[in-house]
Amino acid sequence: MAILPTYRPVELSFPVPRHLHLTLQAHLTFLGNCSMIHLTTSTIGEGSSTHPPLGSFVYAMPDRLDAQNAISTALSTEGSSIDYATRLSKILARRFNHPVYVGCSMSFAGLTAEEEMEGIAAVVGKILEAADKNKVETSKAS
């Protein structure tokens, strides 16, 4: 199965589990041979004129020698979001089996580690759902 390229980005917005005041926005672009994902969080009180910081930008690709591993490199770092960007890029590179660029300015400040993991699991689940909608069966050349 391959992911069809999207010429219009897929935009998602959903509340973080157990923290309905915190909303996560995802901007997904599936380019066929790689995917670009940009993530940020906002609270209910923030207006639309508030721009989040750039955050971290990480490139990850699946390891050809070990399918359970992914290789990543940080292209731009922001102290508070580099861990989320690296973790998500590696998970998605393994799941998609192609390179992934992840821009992340998510902030889970004030949440427990368990709540952060639930938030990351929700992000991965929503991204995989969006990718599944763009999948097609690839035929093998004879």
Side-chain angles (χ1 to χ4, degrees):
M1 299 281 265
I3 299 174
L4 278 176
T6 55
Y7 299 103
R8 287 191 206 178
V10 177
E11 295 182 359
L12 305 172
S13 180
F14 54 93
V16 174
R18 295 201 287 172
H19 286 278
L20 302 179
H21 69 281
L22 191 61
T23 304
L24 197 136
Q25 286 87 27
H27 182 97
L28 318 171
T29 307
F30 303 110
L31 302 172
N33 58 354
C34 71
S35 297
M36 293 189 70
I37 295 141
H38 300 277
L39 304 161
T40 190
T41 53
S42 63
T43 59
I44 290 175
E46 291 180 354
S48 60
S49 63
T50 306
H51 297 289
L54 178 61
S56 299
F57 194 59
V58 175
Y59 172 78
M61 60 189 266
D63 188 343
R64 291 184 172 207
L65 302 176
D66 182 8
Q68 299 300 316
N69 198 10
I71 302 165
S72 69
T73 187
L75 302 175
S76 173
T77 61
E78 172 72 33
S80 62
S81 64
I82 187 66
D83 292 334
Y84 301 127
T86 302
R87 190 178 311 161
L88 286 167
S89 65
K90 286 183 173 187
I91 291 169
L92 295 172
R94 281 193 307 264
R95 294 283 184 96
F96 292 160
N97 198 30
H98 69 240
V100 176
Y101 293 89
V102 174
C104 179
S105 62
M106 295 188 311
S107 174
F108 291 125
L111 275 64
T112 66
E114 181 180 289
E115 292 167 342
E116 285 180 20
M117 293 307 297
E118 285 180 12
I120 289 174
V123 170
V124 171
K126 297 284 187 179
I127 291 171
L128 292 176
E129 283 178 24
D132 283 343
K133 291 178 183 176
N134 290 321
K135 281 192 177 178
V136 294
E137 190 70 36
T138 54
S139 60
K140 293 183 180 178
S142 304

